[in-house]
């Protein structure tokens, strides 16, 4: 029977088997960030709506139709964060981080919300790992953040990864280019589907995202933004490309690459995986040299990216990790208090341990130990002694209880020998 309540559409529960995979993804990312001198930042899960409208852009899908917006009791409009960059830039300004040594290197991990049509890999609540480097314009920073993401995905062994990069140039170059693109699209209007026609006045660049066959033909003939950027921007882009090659990052230049957020300038990039189906983007990012000033701050160059944790998990086959348990303490009813003491003793010694909580027979406890994935059973024999039994190999020996943690640690280091064999 279907239970009365289900998780809301587009949300999901992460059960323990899967949260181990998520922990691993977070752990690998965190290690890379620490080594690269990034500090972690947490911003609120909701912000003033205007922050996202101004940052992400009023003509984008996110702002037009995907935000979860609500009013607080004081009638102020708030929005569940659809992305992380706007909040991080708001925090950079609010906490005067421009007075810290520049650039400020920040990373984050947490839930984000978009009211999209749910499908595999697309959720209404999802988790992002993100990085933002604020206060440096050098192409070295572009290369650094892209390399960092490349190495995280490689360490996680995400399969079928493809990195595309491009440059959107400066805002001025883009404005001039937009007019040329609009002219091109209008001249071939009858070949375009209505959603592209509708977007010509507000966001013509998004047309490059279309899979519509005729639209693709029209766009194949369209002028490319990468050919229209200034010589400074082209120089910056060339430097980024050579630095990436220097760092052994494989990439393709894709002049049709567009991103769904308006704040980008110069470098943009996207990592996809061919193991993901339609929602193939694993991570994306770019420079946003104008955003901090658009939010009322001084002109401050910046660049960053965000990766979807669920999509990385999907590309990795959503592998369920078995829970790991070092020891399961088995005790007869009259020694159950000893079991409580032994479990605490083991946990205090950083050995994972569990025991029966349902009053099972000793035999049933042993079976449960196997099902729980325990490596060792500790069979309590008396208030002073126990037998250690390897549940994989069957080898066993007895020990005094105070020796137990040391014996287990020893056994972990020497998986195939008993202490007596070593002594002899
Ligand atoms: P984004 O491309 O919108 O960029 O999102 C980054 C990643 O979040 C995507 O590549 C995807 O893996 C994941 N993602 C996005 N939407 C969903 C969804 N509905 N369900 C599951 N996963 C999703 C940004 O958010 C920018 N803030 C990145 C950035 C940081 N640019 C500069 N700094």
């Amino acid at each position: 029977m279907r239970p009365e309540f289900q998780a809301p559409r587009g949300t999901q529960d992460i059960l323990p088997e899967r949260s181990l995979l998520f922990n691993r993804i977070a752990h690998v990312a965190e290690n890379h960030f620490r080594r690269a001198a990034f500090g972690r930042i947490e911003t609120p899960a909701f912000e003033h709506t205007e922050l996202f409208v101004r940052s992400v852009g009023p003509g984008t899908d996110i702002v037009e139709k995907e935000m979860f917006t609500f009013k607080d009791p004081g009638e102020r409009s708030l929005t569940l964060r659809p992305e992380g960059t706007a909040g991080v830039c708001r925090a950079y300004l609010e906490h005067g981080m421009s007075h810290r040594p520049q650039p400020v290197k920040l990373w984050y991990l947490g839930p984000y919300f978009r009211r999209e049509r749910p499908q595999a890999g697309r959720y209404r609540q999802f988790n992002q790992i993100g990085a933002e480097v604020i206060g440096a314009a050098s192409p070295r920073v572009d290369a650094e953040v892209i390399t960092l993401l490349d190495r995280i995905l490689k360490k996680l062994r995400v399969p079928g990864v493809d990195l595309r990069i491009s440059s959107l140039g400066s805002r001025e170059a883009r404005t001039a280019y937009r007019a040329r693109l609009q002219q091109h699209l209008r001249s071939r209007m009858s070949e375009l589907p209505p959603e592209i026609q509708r977007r010509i006045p507000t966001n013509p660049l998004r047309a490059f995202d279309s899979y519509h066959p005729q639209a693709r033909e029209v766009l194949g003939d369209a002028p490319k933004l990468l050919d229209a950027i200034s010589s400074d921007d082209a120089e910056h882009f060339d430097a980024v490309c050579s630095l990436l090659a220097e760092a052994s990052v494989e990439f393709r230049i894709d002049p049709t690459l567009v991103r769904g957020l308006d704040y980008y300038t110069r470098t943009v990039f996207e990592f996809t995986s061919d193991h993901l189906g339609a929602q193939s983007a694993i991570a994306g990012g770019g420079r946003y040299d104008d955003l901090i000033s658009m939010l009322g701050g001084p002109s401050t160059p910046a660049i960053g990216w965000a990766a979807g944790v669920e999509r990385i998990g999907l590309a990795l086959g959503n592998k369920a990790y078995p829970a790991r348990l070092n020891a399961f303490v088995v005790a007869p009813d009259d020694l159950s208090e000893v079991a409580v003491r032994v479990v605490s003793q083991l946990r205090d010694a950083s050995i994972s341990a569990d025991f029966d909580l349902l009053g099972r027979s000793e035999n049933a406890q042993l079976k449960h130990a196997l099902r729980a994935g325990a490596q060792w059973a500790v069979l309590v024999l008396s208030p002073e002694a126990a037998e250690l039994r390897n549940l994989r190999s069957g080898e066993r020996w007895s020990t005094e209880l105070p020796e137990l943690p040391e014996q287990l640690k020893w056994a972990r280091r020497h998986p195939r020998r008993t202490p007596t064999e070593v002594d002899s």
Side-chain angles (χ1 to χ4, degrees), residues 29 33 38-39 41 84-85 88 104-109 112 128-134 144-146 148-149 152 263-264 269 284-286 288 302-307:
F33 285 126
F38 279 68
I41 184 165
T85 312
V88 170
V104 174
K105 298 162 87 170
L106 302 166
W107 77 278
Y108 48 87
L109 163 60
Y112 292 83
Q128 281 188 347
I129 294 174
E132 313 290 352
V133 177
I134 305 177
E144 183 188 15
V145 296
I146 298 174
L148 190 63
L149 179 51
I152 292 173
Y263 49 60
Y264 292 114
F269 52 94
Y288 48 94
I303 181 165
W305 52 257

Side-chain angles (χ1 to χ4, degrees), residues 68-354:
F68 285 101
T69 295
F70 57 98
K71 291 257 170 78
D72 75 2
E75 288 294 297
R76 274 169 303 225
S77 180
L78 298 169
T79 293
L80 294 184
R81 58 183 184 186
E83 63 95 52
T85 312
V88 170
C89 289
R90 194 253 322 125
Y92 177 89
L93 288 172
E94 189 170 337
H95 301 285
M97 283 196 251
S98 62
H99 300 299
R100 297 184 180 199
Q102 301 294 297
V104 174
K105 298 162 87 170
L106 302 166
W107 77 278
Y108 48 87
L109 163 60
Y112 292 83
F113 308 85
R114 294 184 192 175
R115 212 181 49 215
E116 295 192 76
R117 203 160 38 78
Q119 65 179 83
R122 190 161 72 190
Y123 312 103
R124 291 184 166 182
Q125 177 176 340
F126 56 96
N127 290 283
Q128 281 188 347
I129 294 174
E132 313 290 352
V133 177
I134 305 177
S138 160
R140 284 209 300 272
V141 192
D142 307 40
E144 183 188 15
V145 296
I146 298 174
T147 305
L148 190 63
L149 179 51
D150 173 78
R151 294 303 196 269
I152 292 173
L153 299 176
K154 280 193 175 126
K155 180 74 187 177
L156 288 166
R157 295 174 192 273
V158 178
V161 173
D162 183 37
L163 164 62
R164 289 171 302 134
I165 93 167
S166 188
S167 174
L168 302 179
S170 62
R171 219 154 260 278
E172 299 80 65
R174 201 149 75 234
T175 311
Y177 167 78
R178 255 171 66 120
R180 283 174 58 208
L181 180 64
Q182 281 167 329
Q183 205 177 15
H184 175 79
L185 295 175
R186 286 196 178 109
S187 72
R188 312 264 299 261
M189 195 74 135
S190 60
E191 299 165 60
L192 298 171
E195 71 270 15
I196 295 188
Q197 292 184 8
R198 191 177 58 81
R199 283 230 155 136
I200 294 176
T202 51
N203 204 345
L205 267 84
R206 283 306 282 185
F208 283 107
D209 265 355
S210 173
Y211 290 108
H212 188 275
Q214 264 178 305
R216 292 200 74 85
E217 223 168 272
V218 174
L219 288 154
D221 302 335
K224 299 290 177 302
L225 176 52
L226 196 54
D227 301 326
I229 63 178
S230 73
S231 57
D232 273 1
D233 293 340
E235 219 172 275
H236 182 97
F237 186 60
D238 289 344
V240 175
C241 293
S242 357
L243 289 165
L244 286 176
E246 200 71 49
S248 313
V249 176
E250 276 177 45
F251 63 91
R252 285 190 295 130
I253 296 173
D254 178 0
T256 68
L257 179 63
V258 279
R259 305 262 308 126
L261 304 103
D262 273 359
Y263 49 60
Y264 292 114
T265 48
R266 293 195 155 179
T267 314
V268 284
F269 52 94
E270 204 153 84
F271 285 77
T272 51
S273 164
D274 61 12
H275 281 51
L276 280 181
Q279 300 304 315
S280 64
I282 284 195
R287 255 198 184 280
Y288 48 94
D289 292 344
D290 299 337
L291 179 55
I292 303 251
S293 58
M294 275 158 53
L295 297 179
S299 167
T300 312
I303 181 165
W305 52 257
V309 178
E310 286 79 2
R311 292 206 189 155
I312 295 177
L314 261 182
L316 291 171
N318 263 338
K319 191 163 126 195
Y321 279 80
R324 280 180 181 227
L325 184 65
N326 290 136
F328 194 92
V329 179
V330 174
D333 202 29
D334 57 329
L335 291 174
S336 60
E337 275 157 38
V338 183
V340 174
R341 170 156 53 91
V342 171
V343 161
S344 298
Q345 185 192 11
L346 294 177
R347 290 178 184 168
D348 289 347
S350 304
I351 295 168
S352 58
D354 205 359

